[in-house]
């Protein structure tokens, strides 16, 4: 429902056998040892950790055994330089152990293992709480967000003239966008409070604000297309005096490659979130201060339109990197 796809699935029934082979390899190399009851262990106390069980006395595997096998399979299948595990921070210790064991086994892919640790997400008490009062089912949360989007959007008349099917698609995009954006704007390692009502607002640091900004840019381009206005490079060549808000907008647009690089290097979608909200705000400033379609100078009008089109393109690309769809109209 949230648009996440998996290229390959690894099942424990396959990985534990390979994991057991790796444990045997470690025993032969003297990296692991057996206790009197026949269980296999590794001593990590010199590394500031403790002794870690790898195979029980009866030969059955534990989680680390399966993860040793999975790490080997992933490298064989993809030959990846980086293997990023997106798992909650209660497993920080587990992944420190996994990486350390693979290093001691001289596995060349060990250095590329990275645990993208994330904190827990809390919800405000009230109707979002589950029956047990501890966790909320993801499907229930998604449904709640879509309903919130419907309420907020209808209240502001943003679906006037939409068919029922068009409106439902918009509610879905806004609800899912609000959920993803609100979660991704916080550094992954921090525990956070998710506020559904705040996340769906059309103003502020929210996905619906950016989605509305994109739809606004597309509305301009649709009018331009209907009127047959040329905004090609040739049409803007005589425009030389930029409006101050255009200078600011161009400055933000130019930061996009650097923002992508920073987000990738730090494994942080929050960098893209910060970039896209800044871009949306600067575009709206430009939109309010510059008479895009009422401009009398032909070259100036063409430039305003080209800048609007480029901003829309970058907004869409940046949101796509966050897994968020943007509506063509709203």
């Amino acid at each position: 429902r949230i648009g996440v796809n998996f290229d390959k699935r690894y099942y424990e029934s396959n990985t534990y056998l390979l994991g057991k082979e790796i444990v045997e390899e470690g025993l032969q190399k003297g990296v692991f040892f057996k206790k009197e009851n026949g269980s296999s262990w590794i001593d990590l106390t010199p590394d500031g950790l403790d002794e870690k069980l790898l195979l029980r006395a009866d030969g059955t595997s534990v989680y680390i055994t399966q993860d040793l096998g999975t790490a080997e399979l992933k490298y064989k299948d993809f030959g990846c330089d980086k293997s990023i595990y997106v798992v909650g921070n209660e497993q920080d210790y587990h992944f420190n152990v996994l990486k350390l064991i693979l290093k001691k086994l001289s596995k060349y892919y060990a250095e590329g293992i990275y645990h993208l640790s994330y904190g827990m997400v809390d919800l405000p008490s009230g109707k979002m709480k589950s029956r047990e009062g501890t966790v909320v089912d993801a499907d229930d949360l998604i449904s709640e967000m879509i309903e919130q989007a419907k309420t907020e959007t209808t209240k502001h008349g943003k679906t006037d003239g939409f068919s029922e099917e068009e409106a439902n698609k918009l509610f879905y995009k806004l609800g899912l966008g609000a959920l993803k954006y609100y979660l991704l704007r916080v550094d992954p390692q921090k525990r956070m409070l998710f506020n559904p009502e705040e996340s769906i607002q059309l103003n502020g640091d929210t996905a619906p604000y950016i989605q509305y900004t994109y739809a606004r840019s597309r509305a301009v381009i649709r009018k331009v297309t209907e009127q047959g206005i040329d905004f090609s490079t040739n049409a803007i060549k005589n425009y030389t005096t930029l409006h101050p808000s255009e200078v600011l907008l161009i400055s933000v647009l130019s930061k996009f490659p650097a923002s992508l690089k920073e987000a990738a290097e730090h494994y942080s979608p929050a960098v893209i979130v910060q970039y896209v909200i800044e871009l949306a705000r600067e575009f709206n400033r430009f939109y309010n201060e510059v008479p895009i379609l009422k401009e009398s100078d032909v070259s100036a009008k063409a430039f305003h339109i080209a800048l609007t089109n480029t901003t829309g393109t970058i907004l869409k690309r940046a949101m796509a990197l966050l897994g968020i769809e943007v509506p063509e109209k709203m």
Side-chain angles (χ1 to χ4, degrees):
R1 289 182 76 188
I2 64 172
V4 173
N5 298 300
F6 297 92
D7 296 318
K8 191 174 181 85
R9 289 174 171 81
Y10 292 96
Y11 297 99
E12 290 181 0
S13 56
N14 297 325
T15 59
Y16 88 95
L17 292 172
L18 181 54
K20 290 174 80 168
E21 290 178 14
I22 294 172
V23 172
E24 186 58 39
E25 174 191 333
L27 288 168
Q28 291 175 7
K29 288 181 175 179
V31 177
F32 305 153
F33 68 94
K34 280 195 174 187
K35 291 192 174 181
E36 291 181 1
N37 64 358
S39 57
S40 300
W41 296 71
I42 183 171
D43 184 8
L44 298 175
T45 51
D47 302 280
L49 301 176
D50 53 15
E51 291 186 348
K52 180 67 180 176
L53 173 67
L54 300 169
L55 274 180
R56 297 187 184 94
D58 61 3
T60 55
S61 64
V62 292
Y63 282 127
I64 200 73
T65 324
Q66 294 151 7
D67 277 345
L68 289 169
T70 305
E72 183 89 0
L73 277 175
K74 283 170 69 178
Y75 186 80
K76 286 180 178 177
D77 288 344
F78 296 101
C80 43
D81 296 318
K82 286 280 184 181
S83 181
I84 303 169
Y85 291 77
V86 186
V87 185
N89 57 15
E90 69 274 13
Q91 297 296 330
D92 286 350
Y93 176 81
H94 176 85
F95 285 101
N96 285 338
V97 170
L98 175 66
K99 185 169 185 173
L100 189 54
I101 290 174
L102 291 169
K103 277 185 175 181
K104 290 181 180 296
L105 289 171
S106 301
K107 297 292 184 180
Y108 29 78
Y109 53 81
E111 198 56 49
I113 286 178
Y114 181 83
H115 176 206
L116 180 53
S117 173
Y118 60 85
M120 296 297 289
V121 177
D122 296 312
L123 289 162
S125 59
K127 64 180 179 179
M128 294 301 295
K129 288 181 71 176
S130 69
R131 287 187 297 274
E132 295 79 18
T134 52
V135 294
V136 172
D137 184 83
D139 283 308
D140 291 342
L141 179 58
I142 292 167
S143 297
E144 173 69 19
M145 290 307 303
I146 294 169
E147 193 59 37
Q148 291 264 11
K150 181 178 181 179
T151 301
E152 187 70 16
T153 311
T154 306
K155 180 174 72 178
H156 288 90
K158 299 299 182 185
T159 53
D160 293 349
F162 278 52
S163 68
E164 184 179 353
E165 183 182 2
E166 288 175 329
N168 286 333
K169 284 182 178 179
L170 179 63
F171 302 148
Y172 183 84
K173 287 179 182 179
L174 294 176
L176 267 292
L179 174 62
K180 293 178 183 180
Y181 183 93
Y182 203 94
L183 295 176
L184 294 176
R185 72 180 190 169
V186 176
D187 183 270
Q189 294 185 25
K190 293 180 180 177
R191 191 178 185 115
M192 66 167 291
L193 176 70
F194 175 66
N195 188 324
E197 292 182 3
E198 183 181 303
S199 72
I200 206 72
Q201 296 299 311
L202 290 169
N203 292 305
D205 187 3
T206 66
Y209 172 75
I210 295 162
Q211 289 167 315
Y212 179 65
T213 302
Y214 173 77
R216 171 177 268 184
S217 75
R218 299 317 299 163
V220 171
I221 302 306
R222 279 195 299 275
K223 287 180 183 176
V224 167
T225 304
E226 290 169 5
Q227 296 172 17
I229 299 172
D230 179 16
F231 59 96
S232 63
T233 304
N234 190 54
I236 63 176
K237 64 182 180 182
N238 295 321
Y239 184 57
T240 55
T241 307
L242 294 174
H243 188 279
S245 64
E246 288 179 313
V247 175
L248 290 171
L249 181 54
I250 291 167
S251 175
V252 176
L253 284 167
S254 71
K255 297 177 186 176
F256 187 46
S259 295
L260 293 187
K261 187 171 186 290
E262 183 184 349
E265 288 175 348
H266 294 91
Y267 308 97
S268 179
V271 175
I272 303 297
V273 171
Q274 292 161 10
Y275 172 80
V276 80
I277 188 65
E278 183 184 5
L279 180 59
R281 285 171 176 161
E282 287 304 331
F283 174 75
N284 283 314
R285 183 208 301 266
F286 157 74
Y287 183 90
N288 291 323
E289 293 180 359
V290 175
I292 300 174
L293 295 178
K294 293 180 180 178
E295 176 66 64
S296 57
D297 183 277
V298 175
S299 292
K301 179 188 283 190
F303 186 82
H304 301 335
I305 296 165
L307 189 55
T308 299
N309 190 51
T310 298
T311 303
T313 299
I314 300 302
L315 282 172
K316 186 173 184 176
R317 286 183 185 174
M319 291 293 267
L321 288 169
L322 301 173
I324 300 173
E325 291 184 86
V326 285
E328 293 296 311
K329 61 178 183 175
M330 184 173 160

